Amino acid sequence: MAERIFKRKIYEQMLAWKRNQHGTTALMIRGARRVGKSTIAKDFAQREYDSYLLVDFSNAPQSVHRLFEDVSNLDYIFTQLQLNYHTILKPHKSVIIFDEIQKQPLARQAIKKLVADGRFDYIETGSLLSIKKKKKDILIPSEETRIDMYPMDYEEFLWALGDNDTIPLLRTMFDARQPLGNDTNRRLLRDFRLYVLVGGMPQAINDYLNTQNLSIVDQRKRSILELYDEDFYELDPTGQTSDLFHAIPAQLNSNALRYQVSSVISGGKIDRLREQITILKDSMVANVAYHANDPSAGLASHINRNQFKLYCGDTGLFVTLAFWDDAFTENVIYQKLLSDKLNADVGYVYENAVSQMLTATGHKLYYHTWPTASGKHNYEIDFLLSCKTKVCPIEVKSSISNKHVSIDEFQNKFSSRIIQRYLIHTKDIRKDQDLLCIPIYMTPFL
């Protein structure tokens, strides 16, 4: 079956670029492999221009690659591109898409001259994995408007399922702090668990819509993870980057206060692995939460770069990665999620889902830990958000327990710095004094 074109929120950002920049910059869409960059670029070009030309540098002929070795004669380049791709470009009414531009960094360098020429608009897409590696040899153009593209968020997932109403209604209930009722909450949690299982990669969602078969969806996600591994090994033949990525579920499940590099790579130390951590972060396949030593306004100024946690950029991929060596039918997370028996021993799935939703809404990820009075244990705030001149601490709970000791102690210690406390759980929305408890599917409203 043909791939569907899903409605994506990034489309509005692309429209704003076209309307506001008027061709004075190229649009660079950054994101991990398989999040839908190429699809949205092509869809936008078809809808918003009289004609477009798409150069996919992953399979373009060498004659096209060689065009960018000398950009002194743009008329020649444009003529050759039109002949190669059987497309007529119309000045001020056409766009040229440079897809997988990391495969031809000279084309990215040429953006400065192409934009200055002014005849056409330009959209670039590519994986930061390879762009990071190759950009050292070229002059990165300043004439780029860069936007980040993430896996499909929960609202986009519901749109794909034909549901345009749930999220606006939930926002109304969130704003009013109005309970939904236990029956409604259980139904909404069931719907959200499906999103957690399938994830936000467009191909996985397309497979689910075509088959409703989670085994087929799991196979698709494994193929995407294998692509990531190929990229990791291209940049880091030692395999350490791949090892760090594959260990993310186990590291979260250990409930450690930081990612324990030495438990993944023998003798590994942060100072020796900064390049590998940077690859994971800049590729956007992983989200990094740094420890905030001082949980106050301006969190970025108080981070400890040696103490961090790693999350998968897509929770659907996280679920598959967690049981990478097991067959689909042996995947405990699938079984527990589908039967509504997710509990504390796999609650790290929900923590990863929260990290993904916070990242998609523009939040940087921070957390905070501090020792108990006895010094034998630690309190932990799972996520800290900057909120104006104060902070919003977040605790994530997947169990049915009503206890929230850490966030209460945080209140006792830092009350003057807090604007609002949140407990994200699987129950209905409610208030516990000044603590707002919300169901996990309302996380995007924070």
Side-chain angles (χ1 to χ4, degrees), residues 221-442:
K221 291 188 292 177
R222 287 173 185 267
S223 70
I224 294 171
L225 290 168
E226 287 167 356
L227 283 177
Y228 289 174
D229 271 335
E230 290 175 8
D231 287 335
F232 294 149
Y233 277 98
E234 180 182 345
L235 289 171
D236 175 24
T238 69
Q240 292 177 333
T241 303
S242 177
D243 290 343
L244 292 170
F245 179 67
H246 278 261
I248 289 175
Q251 288 286 313
L252 290 179
N253 190 36
S254 70
N255 291 317
L257 300 181
R258 68 177 75 192
Y259 190 106
Q260 301 285 347
V261 171
S262 60
S263 68
V264 179
I265 298 172
S266 179
K269 294 183 178 180
I270 295 296
D271 289 341
R272 299 175 184 173
L273 295 169
R274 292 200 185 280
E275 181 179 354
Q276 287 83 350
I277 301 301
T278 298
I279 290 172
L280 291 173
K281 181 181 178 182
D282 288 355
S283 68
M284 297 174 67
V285 304
N287 297 321
V288 183
Y290 287 105
H291 187 275
N293 293 336
D294 182 15
S296 59
L299 289 168
S301 302
H302 307 294
I303 63 172
N304 181 351
R305 293 195 177 276
N306 291 327
Q307 187 171 347
F308 59 86
K309 291 187 176 184
L310 290 178
Y311 298 93
C312 286
D314 178 71
T315 304
L317 295 181
F318 178 93
V319 170
T320 296
L321 196 64
F323 283 79
W324 183 251
D325 295 326
D326 294 334
F328 171 81
T329 54
E330 298 171 338
N331 191 323
V332 176
I333 292 181
Y334 274 91
Q335 294 171 10
K336 289 190 174 183
L337 278 169
L338 286 173
S339 60
D340 194 15
K341 294 182 179 178
L342 181 69
N343 50 39
D345 66 326
V346 286
Y348 57 109
V349 177
Y350 276 179
E351 186 178 340
N352 197 94
V354 171
S355 76
Q356 179 183 348
M357 291 186 283
L358 292 175
T359 299
T361 51
H363 292 293
K364 302 296 183 183
L365 302 182
Y366 306 99
Y367 72 105
H368 182 69
T369 64
W370 71 103
T372 61
S374 68
K376 295 180 179 179
H377 303 284
N378 288 278
Y379 299 115
E380 180 175 359
I381 298 300
D382 295 311
F383 299 102
L384 274 173
L385 306 183
S386 291
C387 304
K388 300 179 181 178
T389 59
K390 297 189 177 183
V391 297
C392 294
I394 297 173
E395 186 172 340
V396 181
K397 293 185 73 68
S398 62
S399 67
I400 61 174
S401 171
N402 289 317
K403 295 181 179 180
H404 34 77
V405 177
S406 289
I407 204 164
D408 289 342
E409 288 298 322
F410 189 86
Q411 166 76 5
N412 293 336
K413 189 175 183 180
F414 300 109
S415 59
S416 63
R417 305 181 182 185
I418 300 171
I419 191 170
Q420 176 65 64
R421 297 188 300 151
Y422 295 102
L423 178 71
I424 297 176
H425 62 175
T426 58
K427 300 178 183 179
D428 201 352
I429 186 171
R430 63 180 175 86
K431 291 207 70 174
D432 185 349
Q433 296 181 358
D434 67 335
L435 177 67
L436 182 59
C437 307
I438 65 170
I440 188 169
Y441 48 76
M442 287 188 176

Side-chain angles (χ1 to χ4, degrees), residues 185-225:
N185 179 56
R186 279 193 292 269
R187 178 179 60 79
L188 292 170
L189 279 173
R190 183 187 66 230
D191 295 342
F192 181 78
R193 289 196 301 272
L194 178 62
Y195 172 63
V196 169
L197 285 173
V198 175
M201 306 306 280
Q203 289 179 326
I205 295 173
N206 191 69
D207 285 344
Y208 175 76
L209 293 175
N210 285 339
T211 68
Q212 282 74 54
N213 187 323
L214 289 173
S215 177
I216 292 175
V217 173
D218 192 72
Q219 292 170 20
R220 175 70 72 178
K221 291 188 292 177
R222 287 173 185 267
S223 70
I224 294 171
L225 290 168

Side-chain angles (χ1 to χ4, degrees), residues 36-50:
K37 302 183 299 295
S38 304
T39 301
I40 196 68
K42 184 176 178 180
D43 184 46
F44 184 80
Q46 291 174 331
R47 292 172 180 266
E48 307 299 333
Y49 292 88
D50 286 2

Side-chain angles (χ1 to χ4, degrees), residues 10-11 13-18 21 23-32 35-38 40-41 44 49 55 57 95-112 115 121-135 138-150 282-284:
I10 197 174
Y11 197 98
Q13 297 180 59
M14 298 171 73
L15 274 178
W17 161 76
K18 185 174 186 291
Q21 296 299 319
T24 58
T25 66
L27 181 67
M28 164 63 82
I29 303 175
R30 309 182 297 185
V35 296
K37 302 183 299 295
S38 304
I40 196 68
F44 184 80
Y49 292 88
V55 181
F57 285 113
V95 62
I96 298 176
I97 301 171
F98 291 144
D99 196 21
E100 303 287 356
I101 200 168
Q102 73 275 2
K103 301 291 185 181
Q104 181 42 271
L106 290 176
R108 189 180 184 193
Q109 181 172 264
I111 285 295
K112 183 178 183 68
V115 167
D121 284 357
Y122 300 91
I123 298 175
E124 307 163 87
T125 77
S127 162
L128 282 177
L129 279 169
S130 298
I131 290 174
K132 271 289 185 181
K133 179 182 179 182
K134 297 181 180 180
K135 73 176 188 179
I138 66 169
L139 180 65
I140 299 299
S142 59
E143 296 78 8
E144 287 180 337
T145 296
R146 300 165 191 170
I147 58 177
D148 293 334
M149 189 172 190
Y150 298 101
D282 288 355
S283 68
M284 297 174 67

